[in-house]
Amino acid sequence: MSALAIAQLIMGNISFVGLIVLPAYLATAFSLNNKGGKITRYIGYFTSSTLSLSLLGAIYVLLLPLLGVSFEPILLFVLVTIGSIGVLSFKLIKDQSKSKIIEVS
């Protein structure tokens, strides 16, 4: 996602919201690769938590037919996919913070 945002920034097609989200995606990518410090890890946690909130939206989409609204399988698939990426990213960042890598130069 961060590569797409960087490409849009280079082409000049990025919106104001994209300028706000770009550093969050970059910090998440850095923390997943065990780069950066505590600040990038905390931003990565926040971004992953925000993405995982999509799973609550998926539960809401599952309950919509009970309220008389038509069922949207594409919306459900998108929300579950984004939420799963958020949960997996959170778990991987947490595992990365536990392991210490010793670099030999």
Side-chain angles (χ1 to χ4, degrees):
M1 285 190 257
S2 60
L4 178 65
I6 290 173
Q8 285 183 348
L9 180 65
I10 291 170
M11 291 186 302
N13 295 335
I14 197 162
S15 65
F16 178 71
V17 175
L19 286 174
I20 295 171
V21 172
L22 175 64
Y25 284 149
L26 286 175
T28 304
F30 286 147
S31 61
L32 283 170
N33 289 318
N34 208 13
K35 306 287 185 202
K38 288 184 179 180
I39 294 174
T40 59
R41 190 177 323 132
Y42 293 144
I43 293 172
Y45 281 140
F46 177 75
T47 306
S48 300
S49 301
T50 305
L51 289 175
S52 63
L53 287 176
S54 297
L55 291 175
L56 293 176
I59 294 171
Y60 179 70
V61 168
L62 286 174
L63 295 176
L64 280 178
L66 298 175
L67 302 173
V69 181
S70 63
F71 179 70
E72 294 289 333
I74 299 296
L75 180 61
L76 178 65
F77 177 74
V78 168
L79 289 174
V80 167
T81 303
I82 292 173
S84 300
I85 289 171
V87 169
L88 185 63
S89 296
F90 191 88
K91 183 183 179 320
L92 289 174
I93 292 170
K94 188 175 179 182
D95 291 343
Q96 285 286 338
S97 66
K98 289 181 182 177
S99 66
K100 298 292 181 188
I101 297 174
I102 300 173
E103 295 183 11
V104 178
S105 50

